[in-house]
Amino acid sequence: MAITTDIQTNATGDAGRPTPSTTTLPLARAINAGLRRALEQDDRVMLMGEDIGRLGGVFRVTDGLQAQFGTQRVVDSPLAESGILGTAIGLAMAGYRPVVEIQFDGFVFPAFDQITTQLAKLHYRSQGRVRVPVVIRIPYGGHIGAIEHHSESPEALFAHTAGLRIVSPATAQDGYTMIQQAIASPDPVIFLEPKSRYWEKGAVELDAEPSGDLHRARTVRAGRDATLVAYGPSVATSLAAAQAAAEEGRELEVIDLRSVAPLDLDSVVASVERTGRLIVVHEAPTAHGVGAEIAAAVAERCFYRLQAPVLRVGGFHTPYPASAIESDYLPSLDRILDAVDRAFAA
Amino acid sequence: MPWSDPCDVPGTLRLLTPQGERVAPDPAVPNGEALASLAATLDAERLLAMYADMSLTRAFDREATSLQRQGELGLWPESRGQEAAQIGSAHALAPRDYVFPSYREHGVAHVRGLPVRELLHLFRGTQHGGWDPAPHNFHLYTLVIGSHTLHATGYAMGIQRDGDVGTGDPARDRAVITYFGDGATAQGDVNEALVFAATTNAPVVFFCQNNQWAISAPSTVQSAVPLVERGGGFGVPSIRVDGNDVLACYAATATALQRARRGEGPTFIEAVTYRMGAHTTSDDPTRYRMREEEEHWGQRDPIARLAALLRAEGVLDDEAQARIDAEAAELTAGVRTYCRSLTPPAPESMFDHVYAEPHQRLDAERSWFRDYQSSFLDATAGR
Ligand SMILES: Cc1ncc(C[n+]2csc(CCOP(=O)(O)OP(=O)(O)O)c2C)c(N)n1
């Protein structure tokens, strides 16, 4: 069995294809390249957000794009999230494809109303007559030692709302591909960028067409003893835990969900059918969260194949704590291994 | 000079020129004469105290910036350049008035009597707050832009219900002030706060420090009209002041607070100032700002301006300056020591204070965490 230890390995192309131009980029640059390509290919694509133009965004994800495409296509918006989302809805109705940036996860909430009561529901309310293909890019998650409101994982709050698609790339290749797929989607997409991975480099095929299913999970490490399911920043931690477990003789399968909503449950179920154990890992609090949804769905579908209860490793039911103790809050390699032990003790 | 001084716009209250000379207010300023005579009541002692507060704030801010550079703080929002706006307005506050700051109001904190070292918890990442708001009536810093302006308005509505406005008893009448930036004026919350304040006649002063930039976005991205014109549309009387002129900031704020305490409702103050440093220590202003602009404002330093006045009036001499410098040195040394003493809290403290009463889920997670931690420690101990 080919066991891939590198999170990037599975991202590269099929055998037999002409060798595409592969380059190595950090995740932030890969998303930048994906945005550039989308702007080049479709002049209805436009970017909006606070500080995304001249500054290139606080994480420089949009660096250089305003210089290349001008201030009409890469717009420095007023400091008003509800305004950004509300006008993006109108722009989308006028035929544009707005890609908006929320500066940090904790600042999406002034726009929560526009996202959940308007953006998510227009297609439904108009019986399919009105399309709102808006992409909301949100740098999210912790581990960067930031102050309050700069490290949160709000995905469950959006996942509960029908009408939104929610994805998160864990690799540079996915950053490049998935942002283009998100922009091409006729539905609203919340694009969660794991900020702790922004500077992690990976191979990116710049010429590859963004084909494939945006919502398809991917097995990033094969294993037979238990399944770890993660997305975004937790994929790397889960891979590290699998590596550590392998040294103790346990082969853990690691699935990068890539999509929070919809969930590729078939891939998860297929894995659990083989391994019999499932641990879900995410940074968001476990209470009422994405892990709970997966655990319930898997219990429904694999009850008789499970050899242990589905376990969740995530944040606690507390506000995201001060950075000095964030590592005690976040799912760490040790916490994942502890859950693995519990799954085997069951 | 490519940058004309936005404080030269008619109708802007200025009582002290950039060279440090007292001037009569522009005739277009409503109640200009009354504001000028209010500023004229500031005696030498008070002016020197304001100068000392501005100097100490600058010194503290410089120290915090270097603590960040040395890795002792995760982040620091510099207040350099905004001392007149902060100290002038804060000196107009009475002890019973309540302050809702944003995250850059270090000078206001200092005038309120909050030991400024306590501001560091938040930026060292050891706490999200760091101080008790009650003793100084100085609320916690707020990072979500504009949200606290509604809290200020609601608090003011509470004061009003309590009957603590318009009694004519200075020991009883109170008011609220809230600080925010030019960028914040674009937020729905700030506009909604103005709606509530105006329609309820709440005793609240909206103090906008227009430091010209919201990170990389100039004020023109936030508003097509001078910010001061916003207030009128909501029915909130408004005034524009030279934010680098401590006398004008004091006079405008004192008048607005008096109005509020008398039960005459809210006021909007646009203090036009300049953020001399970066937005925060993570920011790189060279990407969006011209050096000429920074140099232009460098010549409008609010501290130098007051120093010139006080030297000319014989209030500030070398001896007084030396006293202030010594106080600043003592303050910064204390801040440095205090900062280093702020160690990470016990990890289990993250479960504290989430709820005021016991909560099953949280209690379960806490005890799981405690067991997990101790299993870890036991394993180490057993080795
Ligand atoms: C709701 C919200 N959106 C975005 C941010 C990120 N952010 C922090 S400060 C800032 C600029 C604020 O500018 P301004 O209101 O003018 O105040 P200043 O920092 O200049 O004092 C931004 C965009 C935030 N803190 N809150």
Side-chain angles (χ1 to χ4, degrees):
Chain A
M1 190 183 337
I3 291 184
T4 56
T5 51
D6 179 356
I7 189 167
Q8 299 298 340
T9 313
N10 276 26
T12 43
D14 302 330
R17 240 200 284 159
T19 318
S21 73
T22 300
T23 179
T24 302
L25 291 176
L27 174 63
R29 298 300 307 168
I31 298 170
N32 177 279
L35 290 168
R36 175 175 289 111
R37 198 169 183 219
L39 284 159
E40 275 163 0
Q41 291 184 346
D42 181 352
D43 57 20
R44 293 169 309 155
V45 173
M46 57 174 293
L47 314 188
M48 273 202 309
E50 294 159 13
D51 302 291
I52 67 165
R54 266 193 285 186
L55 189 64
V58 287
F59 289 105
R60 311 287 185 261
V61 174
T62 53
D63 198 11
L65 297 179
Q66 190 180 67
Q68 184 176 343
F69 297 97
T71 52
Q72 284 298 300
R73 305 217 32 219
V74 181
V75 181
D76 271 321
S77 73
L79 175 40
E81 287 77 11
S82 183
I84 293 170
L85 257 302
T87 56
I89 290 170
L91 280 157
M93 289 174 60
Y96 287 87
R97 298 190 94 87
V99 183
V100 306
E101 176 176 299
I102 297 293
Q103 203 155 76
F104 281 91
D105 34 55
F107 304 139
V108 71
F109 298 106
F112 194 77
D113 167 50
Q114 288 291 340
I115 297 171
T116 56
T117 73
Q118 304 301 318
L119 183 64
K121 294 182 168 62
L122 263 170
H123 192 257
Y124 187 73
R125 288 170 53 218
S126 67
Q127 277 145 337
R129 295 185 187 98
V130 177
R131 288 199 169 171
V132 275
V134 175
V135 176
I136 309 170
R137 297 182 34 245
I138 311 179
Y140 89 115
H143 262 310
I144 62 161
I147 56 174
E148 198 184 8
H149 308 299
H150 291 70
S151 302
E152 293 152 39
S153 298
E155 59 270 23
L157 293 160
F158 294 109
H160 198 63
T161 303
L164 302 172
R165 298 176 181 275
I166 305 167
V167 300
S168 181
T171 66
Q173 178 66 56
D174 269 352
Y176 178 69
T177 309
M178 289 168 69
I179 189 66
Q180 295 178 63
Q181 293 174 319
I183 294 170
S185 169
D187 286 315
V189 180
I190 297 187
F191 193 82
L192 299 167
E193 300 174 4
K195 61 176 95 82
S196 62
R197 306 287 302 167
Y198 266 151
W199 303 277
E200 294 298 322
K201 290 186 177 165
V204 181
E205 276 180 46
L206 289 175
D207 293 340
E209 286 307 315
S211 55
D213 182 350
L214 176 62
H215 301 290
R216 195 56 191 279
R218 184 164 45 210
T219 305
V220 288
R221 179 183 172 111
R224 60 177 177 270
D225 297 330
T227 303
L228 295 182
V229 161
Y231 54 89
S234 300
V235 176
T237 327
S238 298
L239 278 169
Q243 181 72 45
E247 285 157 22
E248 293 172 3
R250 276 184 189 145
E251 295 299 342
L252 309 184
E253 183 144 299
V254 181
I255 294 179
D256 173 4
L257 276 181
R258 300 170 73 251
S259 175
V260 170
L263 282 167
D264 178 6
L265 283 170
D266 290 345
S267 294
V268 178
V269 164
S271 174
V272 175
E273 293 280 343
R274 284 187 285 105
T275 64
R277 291 179 171 86
L278 174 62
I279 293 135
V280 188
V281 186
H282 55 56
E283 290 193 4
T286 57
H288 312 268
V290 174
E293 173 63 25
I294 296 171
V298 167
E300 281 170 9
R301 292 171 62 170
C302 312
F303 187 73
Y304 295 104
R305 302 299 289 268
L306 281 169
Q307 297 176 45
V310 181
L311 297 176
R312 288 169 287 163
V313 184
F316 298 109
H317 189 59
T318 72
Y320 193 92
S323 61
I325 52 172
E326 70 177 337
S327 60
D328 291 289
Y329 170 91
L330 289 165
S332 61
L333 186 148
D334 283 330
R335 290 241 317 269
I336 298 170
L337 292 176
D338 173 78
V340 170
D341 285 346
R342 280 185 282 138
F344 279 91
Chain B
M1 266 295 165
W3 280 273
S4 58
D5 189 335
C7 298
D8 288 337
V9 172
T12 306
L13 179 69
R14 172 185 277 164
L15 302 171
L16 193 59
T17 66
Q19 292 70 40
E21 287 151 9
R22 291 183 194 261
V23 280
D26 180 87
V29 176
N31 300 323
E33 288 308 326
L35 289 157
S37 42
L38 181 63
T41 64
L42 294 167
D43 60 17
E45 196 187 342
R46 187 67 176 274
L47 289 173
L48 194 60
M50 286 173 151
Y51 175 72
D53 285 340
M54 289 167 74
S55 306
L56 291 176
T57 300
R58 173 84 48 105
F60 162 69
D61 185 63
R62 197 187 300 118
E63 186 69 11
T65 305
S66 62
L67 283 166
Q68 196 283 334
R69 295 273 175 254
Q70 291 157 18
E72 301 283 349
L73 297 176
L75 183 83
W76 185 248
E78 291 179 67
S79 59
R80 185 162 50 99
Q82 299 183 209
E83 293 89 350
Q86 297 195 7
I87 305 300
S89 60
H91 266 262
L93 291 162
R96 273 169 55 77
D97 295 336
Y98 204 102
V99 181
F100 285 85
S102 188
Y103 47 76
R104 205 190 287 284
E105 276 67 71
H106 319 319
V108 182
H110 167 73
V111 176
R112 291 306 279 175
L114 179 79
V116 283
R117 55 171 193 251
E118 294 185 25
L119 300 170
L120 300 184
H121 294 258
L122 177 65
F123 299 101
R124 193 167 163 86
T126 53
Q127 276 189 49
H128 287 326
W131 60 92
D132 177 359
H136 308 287
N137 282 354
F138 185 81
H139 189 56
L140 299 176
Y141 273 2
T142 308
L143 296 172
V144 183
I145 295 292
S147 55
H148 60 295
T149 59
L150 279 163
H151 313 154
T153 304
Y155 195 94
M157 288 161 67
I159 285 177
Q160 193 181 39
R161 267 148 217 266
D162 288 347
D164 287 353
V165 291
T167 68
D169 175 1
R172 172 144 189 201
D173 289 344
R174 311 172 63 190
V176 177
I177 188 167
T178 180
Y179 290 86
F180 53 96
D182 42 306
T185 62
Q187 287 284 2
D189 276 2
V190 175
N191 292 276
E192 293 180 28
L194 287 163
V195 170
F196 273 76
T199 57
T200 62
N201 208 40
V204 54
V205 176
F206 293 88
F207 194 93
C208 174
Q209 288 174 84
N210 178 358
N211 66 9
Q212 323 260 349
W213 292 93
I215 311 189
S216 71
S219 315
T220 49
V221 168
Q222 319 295 345
S223 182
V225 297
L227 289 174
V228 67
E229 290 180 19
R230 288 278 190 87
F234 291 98
V236 178
S238 306
I239 182 169
R240 191 171 197 267
V241 303
D242 179 338
N244 285 13
D245 167 358
V246 72
L247 303 181
C249 291
Y250 170 81
T253 314
T255 306
L257 286 166
Q258 277 162 14
R259 248 177 61 78
R261 292 186 205 112
R262 281 201 300 260
E264 292 164 20
T267 306
F268 182 99
I269 299 174
E270 180 194 3
V272 182
T273 177
Y274 191 72
R275 184 194 86 206
M276 290 172 87
H279 170 68
T280 66
T281 44
S282 305
D283 178 37
D284 175 10
T286 63
R287 280 184 165 246
Y288 55 83
R289 216 158 65 171
M290 296 295 188
R291 184 133 45 85
E292 292 94 313
E293 179 188 322
E294 292 176 0
E295 279 165 7
H296 170 87
W297 284 94
Q299 290 154 14
R300 274 157 181 73
D301 188 318
I303 300 188
R305 188 182 299 200
L306 182 58
L309 173 77
L310 297 185
R311 290 262 176 199
E313 293 187 351
V315 175
L316 178 68
D317 55 18
D318 290 347
E319 196 191 317
Q321 183 65 53
R323 229 178 18 248
I324 291 167
D325 291 345
E327 204 184 326
E330 196 186 329
L331 174 81
T332 55
V335 162
R336 178 163 288 264
T337 314
Y338 185 79
C339 178
R340 294 211 170 117
S341 78
L342 297 177
T343 48
E348 207 185 307
S349 68
M350 81 175 110
F351 298 98
D352 295 343
H353 310 301
V354 181
Y355 295 94
E357 291 191 334
H359 182 281
Q360 288 168 320
R361 167 115 202 174
L362 191 72
D363 294 346
E365 288 190 358
R366 182 202 285 269
S367 69
W368 180 86
F369 182 75
R370 192 179 287 158
D371 290 349
Y372 171 71
Q373 291 275 85
S374 58
S375 74
F376 207 70
L377 293 175
D378 289 349
T380 324
R383 267 180 213 149

